[in-house]
């Protein structure tokens, strides 16, 4: 493909700043069509972002001859449907994370990608951000020696929308749409980046419950897991705690020090060794998905080999489903 002409299915919050504008910032890439089942949303998004064509039918967007690649930015329950629709039409898919609402749906996507020989990429953009590349550099340099243990800690108070009536709650806390609660929405980024550092997680167990009573999905999770190297890890997530307990932290405990960083807040990376404590500030690009989108475009143009594919994203869904005891 000489020029990648994207059609986007879904025009929610993530497409406004993290991804949408980036498609037009990458050389050889253009957003040419958008789809939402809500005509007013589709029209408004197209006008605000200078997109020529909008649809309310996803099949119409996929069939548009001017669209040769499809960005899927809907809730996870429809990812498999739309990704398979695009690939069967011969059009590469770029899917928001997590890849799907279940491990089984991930497997379906991978089977169709293999059958059609059409790639499916996944928006685990943190793999490409300078912040996390710096963490990897510190690990590769052996700054904390041998990594002995991995700890994830995440806590935040309820969002105002969590108090809404059941028919007005956000999709992120509706398991039939999201795959779970906020854990299924946020933990994928944490597990994906850790598996980039340490390899695939081959064992995972967890306990989940709802302690706040605001909705049906889990709001508290504790888990243990082990990487293929034997490296053990643990994690705790609470989405209904007090503001004073707010935390976004991954801590890597090594034989010669501790390396800690955040996944969502991008607080300074902290390196604690016998030489003292060092805080490292790393800036990310304006549109955080742009480095990944650039590699996807280059791959579709035959100039790169992006590994952020549906196949590489599937182990994360396996971990999530194991922790939530979905199989």
């Amino acid at each position: 493909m000489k020029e990648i002409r994207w059609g986007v299915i879904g025009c929610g919050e993530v497409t406004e700043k993290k991804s949408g504008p980036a498609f037009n910032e990458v050389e050889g890439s253009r957003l040419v069509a958008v789809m939402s089942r809500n005509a007013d949303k589709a029209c408004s998004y197209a006008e605000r972002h200078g997109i020529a064509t909008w649809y309310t039918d996803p099949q119409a967007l996929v069939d548009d001859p001017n669209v040769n690649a499809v960005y899927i930015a809907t809730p996870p329950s429809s990812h498999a449907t739309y990704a398979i629709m695009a690939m069967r039409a011969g059009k590469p898919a770029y899917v928001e994370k997590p890849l799907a609402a279940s491990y089984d749906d991930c497997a379906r996507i991978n089977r169709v990608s293999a059958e059609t020989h059409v790639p499916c990429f996944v928006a685990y953009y943190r793999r490409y951000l300078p912040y996390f590349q710096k963490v990897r550099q510190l690990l590769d340099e052996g700054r904390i020696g041998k990594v002995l243990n991995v700890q994830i800690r995440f806590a935040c108070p309820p969002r105002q929308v969590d108090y809404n009536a059941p028919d007005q709650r956000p999709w992120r806390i509706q398991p039939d749409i999201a795959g779970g609660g906020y854990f299924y929405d946020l933990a994928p980024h944490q597990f994906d980046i850790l598996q980039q550092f340490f390899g695939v997680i081959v064992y995972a167990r967890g306990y989940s419950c709802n302690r706040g009573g605001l909705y049906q999905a889990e709001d508290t999770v504790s888990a243990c897991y082990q990487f293929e190297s034997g490296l053990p890890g643990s994690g705790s997530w609470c989405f209904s705690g007090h503001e004073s307990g707010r935390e976004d932290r991954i801590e890597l405990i090594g034989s010669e020090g501790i390396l800690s960083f955040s996944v969502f807040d991008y607080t300074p990376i902290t390196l604690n060794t016998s030489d003292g404590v060092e805080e490292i500030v790393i800036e990310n690009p304006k549109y955080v998905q742009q480095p990944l989108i650039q590699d996807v475009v280059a791959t579709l143009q035959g100039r790169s080999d992006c590994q952020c594919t549906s196949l590489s994203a599937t182990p994360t869904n396996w971990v999530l489903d194991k922790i939530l005891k979905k199989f």
Side-chain angles (χ1 to χ4, degrees):
M1 298 181 182
K2 185 174 181 180
E3 181 182 54
I4 312 304
R5 300 185 302 275
W6 295 93
V8 54
I9 298 177
C11 50
E13 180 184 356
V14 70
T15 69
E16 291 290 348
K17 293 182 179 180
K18 292 182 178 181
S19 59
F23 287 99
N24 291 325
E25 292 291 323
V26 174
E27 186 176 354
S29 169
R30 246 187 333 129
L31 260 182
V32 299
V34 63
M35 173 269 161
S36 171
R37 294 194 183 278
N38 184 312
D40 290 338
K41 286 182 66 175
C43 180
S44 172
Y45 190 92
E47 289 178 351
R48 285 183 290 106
H49 293 277
I51 300 172
T53 307
W54 59 269
Y55 296 98
T56 57
D57 177 6
Q59 189 66 61
L61 179 138
V62 170
D63 291 341
D64 185 335
N66 196 39
V67 171
N68 60 15
V70 180
Y71 169 40
I72 298 160
T74 58
S77 61
S78 57
H79 286 183
T81 297
Y82 295 144
I84 289 170
M85 185 186 295
M87 291 186 290
R88 291 210 181 280
K91 300 182 180 184
Y94 176 68
V95 184
E96 271 303 325
K97 63 81 214 162
L99 173 58
S102 70
Y103 173 73
D104 287 344
D105 273 354
C106 294
R108 289 176 54 218
I109 292 171
N110 290 329
R111 283 196 297 270
V112 173
S113 182
E115 290 169 6
T116 59
H117 303 288
V118 177
C120 178
F121 304 96
V122 185
Y124 281 122
Y125 59 87
R126 281 171 171 78
R127 300 185 192 184
Y128 285 74
L129 292 182
Y131 182 93
F132 299 100
Q133 290 179 344
K134 182 62 177 181
V135 174
R136 172 172 285 229
Q137 178 189 336
L138 294 169
L139 290 171
D140 290 345
E141 291 173 351
R143 298 289 297 276
I144 60 169
K146 180 181 181 180
V147 179
L148 305 174
N149 190 268
V150 176
Q151 297 180 1
I152 303 172
R153 296 196 296 277
F154 186 91
C156 66
R159 303 180 187 188
Q160 190 58 45
V161 291
D162 297 345
Y163 296 95
N164 289 355
D167 61 343
Q168 297 178 344
R169 288 171 182 161
W171 62 261
R172 287 179 173 85
I173 53 174
Q174 299 181 45
D176 58 329
I177 299 175
Y182 288 123
F183 172 78
Y184 217 87
D185 182 51
L186 297 177
H189 276 305
Q190 297 167 320
F191 283 120
D192 180 76
I193 200 65
L194 287 174
Q195 290 183 106
Q196 298 310 298
F197 296 158
F198 303 117
V200 173
I201 291 173
V202 296
Y203 174 92
R205 293 291 185 274
Y207 174 77
S208 61
C209 60
N210 186 294
R211 299 291 291 167
L214 298 176
Y215 43 80
Q216 292 299 311
E218 78 286 341
D219 66 5
T220 302
V221 179
S222 293
C224 59
Y225 47 91
Q226 188 173 49
F227 297 88
E228 56 187 340
S229 66
L231 173 66
S234 62
S236 65
W237 297 260
C238 180
F239 303 96
S240 60
H242 188 262
E243 174 65 33
S244 62
R246 184 184 289 273
E247 188 171 21
D248 169 20
R249 184 180 182 89
I250 291 182
E251 194 165 83
L252 309 178
I253 301 172
S255 58
E256 298 178 23
I258 297 175
L259 180 61
S260 58
F261 58 97
S262 65
V263 173
F264 306 100
D265 294 338
Y266 306 116
T267 54
I269 299 165
T270 302
L271 180 64
N272 191 336
T273 68
S274 56
D275 294 328
V277 178
E278 179 182 358
E279 289 194 342
I280 304 166
V281 177
I282 302 291
E283 297 293 329
N284 287 320
K286 180 179 180 181
Y287 305 122
V288 289
Q289 290 200 28
Q290 185 170 336
L292 170 54
I293 292 171
Q294 186 169 328
D295 195 33
V296 169
V297 168
T299 297
L300 295 177
Q301 293 174 333
R303 299 183 290 107
S304 187
D305 184 21
C306 179
Q307 295 301 303
C308 205
T309 63
S310 60
L311 200 61
S312 78
T314 297
T316 289
N317 275 82
W318 182 88
V319 173
L320 299 176
D321 286 7
K322 278 291 187 181
I323 290 173
L324 294 183
K325 298 184 175 70
K326 292 175 68 173
F327 66 84

